[in-house]
Amino acid sequence: MKHRVDSPHGKQIDSHRMSVVEPVFGNIGTNKRLNRFSLRSKIKVQGQWQLYCLVHNVEKLAKYGQLGQ
């Protein structure tokens, strides 16, 4: 695995992931303080996660001026 990650292709994939995926989880975990789910059952947890993702996306739209025009 170390060889795969250290290869040029692995570094390219990892750098893309850091700019696309990781900031979303960091924002939801740190700024929204979601360190654990408050509901039980898979369906309820999925609903709670989708609400947090919805809030994240609406905030991005509002920040960049694409909401309400």
Side-chain angles (χ1 to χ4, degrees):
M1 187 54 111
K2 183 172 174 28
H3 176 69
R4 278 181 148 177
V5 173
D6 289 340
S7 71
H9 183 66
K11 288 181 181 180
Q12 180 186 14
I13 291 172
D14 194 43
S15 68
H16 182 68
R17 178 180 175 176
M18 291 297 178
S19 65
V20 175
V21 177
E22 295 297 330
V24 175
F25 291 122
N27 180 24
I28 290 174
T30 305
N31 297 338
K32 310 273 185 307
R33 298 189 176 150
L34 178 68
N35 57 0
R36 67 176 59 168
F37 293 99
S38 59
L39 303 171
R40 296 180 80 167
S41 88
K42 185 176 180 179
I43 293 173
K44 291 178 184 178
V45 167
Q46 284 176 339
Q48 187 177 4
W49 176 251
Q50 289 173 346
L51 285 173
Y52 273 93
C53 292
L54 177 73
V55 169
H56 174 80
N57 289 329
V58 168
E59 285 177 345
K60 277 176 45 173
L61 289 173
K63 179 179 178 182
Y64 295 110
Q66 298 173 356
L67 191 63
Q69 291 183 355

